[in-house]
Amino acid sequence: MHHELVRARAPLRLGFGGGSTDVSPYCDEHGGVVLNAAIDLFAHVTVQARDDDQVRLVAADRDQVWQAGAVAPLPTDEPLRLLKGVYNRFMADHAGGRALPLTLVSYADCPPGSGLGSSSALMVAMVEAMRRFMGLSMDAHAVARLAFDIERRELGLAGGAQDQYAAAYGGLNLMRFFDAARVEVESVAVPDKVMKELEASLVLYFTGVSRESAAIIEEQTANMRSHAPKSIESLHAIKASAFEMRDALVAGDLPRFGALLDSGWSLKKQTAHNMSSPMIDSVYEAAKSFGVFGGKVSGAGGGGFMMFLVDPTRREGLKRLLGGFGGVAQAARFTTTGAESWHVR
């Protein structure tokens, strides 16, 4: 072990286009494509060595604490399954099955169930923190892959792979998912002024409703497995729109990009019945009446954050309008930095 106190962080993301095509079995059978961008909200992790033969796990933003004698593997039941899963994998792979006494603390800059990929960003930040804590060398692809493997395979939590790769790489990326074993991440070169204009046009709105994405994703997955024609056709169209969105951004055409966000949201609602809600629909209709270029619900849907694009001179007016629905409207900034860690001592 090289360090006794390590911190790490990994960015959350906005999914613009192609969401849900990164979920198996669709990506295994048809190949998935997602366009997303990392934003300057982060999942944070601290790992500290202990000298009392205990393992202490803390989700500081949920006020959850779990502590027991250092054994490996830890039981992967709630609470703090994600933290236990990461600990177990690193002990098995890099500590010869021994149990290292440590404290692992996690928290994110947004509420859980926000639709910004916070649980997967947390996995990536934990993997990055443990990698540095144990003196291991891993690139962004390996960090994302391991986080995906622990979250989806070992812990069995439903979902796709875009969140882990967005958190590990940072930046604006077009990602291709061929199957669980093969992912290609292509950085999209957009003129700096276009990214600044996109930032100036963007409004995030937190509905105040946190949701469990697993139930929505499980319905989507069931529709994929049964090859429900409406669902599969929607996913094909969602995938195609990811390329169109990339092209609109590269060309600096934000009204077109906003219109594609809007049509993508209409398509996405056809992949699972609980993707939207009367509250989300009423907020969306009010924003459309206000004159936004387009918008969507971030992540699996059902609640969490919505995003809208509007003329920058009207952004404050849109924030006031959205605030009237009882949630919180805010700006967002992009970040080109992916997961990073540093040792404190």
Side-chain angles (χ1 to χ4, degrees), residues 6 44-50 54-60 64-66 74 80 82-88 101-107 122 125-127 129-130 133:
V6 162
H44 304 266
V45 171
T46 295
V47 184
Q48 185 164 16
R50 297 176 68 97
Q54 294 275 303
V55 173
R56 181 177 176 84
L57 307 177
V58 182
Q64 291 181 328
V65 180
W66 184 93
L74 302 175
L80 307 182
L82 296 179
L83 283 71
K84 293 171 180 173
V86 172
Y87 179 86
N88 287 348
L102 56 80
T103 297
L104 178 62
V105 181
S106 71
Y107 60 96
L122 206 54
M126 283 192 282
V127 167
M130 289 298 296
F133 183 73

Side-chain angles (χ1 to χ4, degrees), residues 14 114 116 202-209 279-280 282-284 287 296-298 303-308 318-332:
L14 289 177
S114 63
L116 301 178
L202 191 63
V203 173
L204 295 187
Y205 173 71
F206 183 59
T207 59
V209 179
M279 181 270 295
I280 289 171
S282 62
V283 172
Y284 199 85
K296 65 182 289 255
V297 173
S298 187
F305 275 89
M306 303 173 75
M307 70 174 105
F308 297 99
L318 177 62
K319 283 163 66 176
R320 277 195 299 277
L321 171 80
L322 295 172
F325 284 89
V328 179
Q330 65 188 77

Side-chain angles (χ1 to χ4, degrees), residues 15-17 35 172 198 202 241-242 244-250 252-263 293-295 307 309 334:
F16 293 133
L35 179 72
L172 172 70
L198 182 59
L202 191 63
S241 76
E244 293 180 60
M245 285 186 178
R246 174 198 61 186
D247 295 345
L249 275 186
V250 170
D253 189 346
L254 292 188
R256 166 89 178 133
F257 183 76
L260 287 164
L261 274 181
D262 181 55
S263 58
F293 300 143
M307 70 174 105
L309 281 190
F334 300 113

Side-chain angles (χ1 to χ4, degrees), residues 269-319:
K269 285 191 285 188
Q270 296 173 28
T271 63
H273 81 279
N274 51 359
M275 188 70 64
S276 191
S277 70
M279 181 270 295
I280 289 171
D281 289 340
S282 62
V283 172
Y284 199 85
E285 285 311 311
K288 288 282 293 251
S289 298
F290 182 82
V292 298
F293 300 143
K296 65 182 289 255
V297 173
S298 187
F305 275 89
M306 303 173 75
M307 70 174 105
F308 297 99
L309 281 190
V310 70
D311 182 297
T313 61
R314 303 191 69 210
R315 187 166 74 169
E316 291 308 306
L318 177 62
K319 283 163 66 176

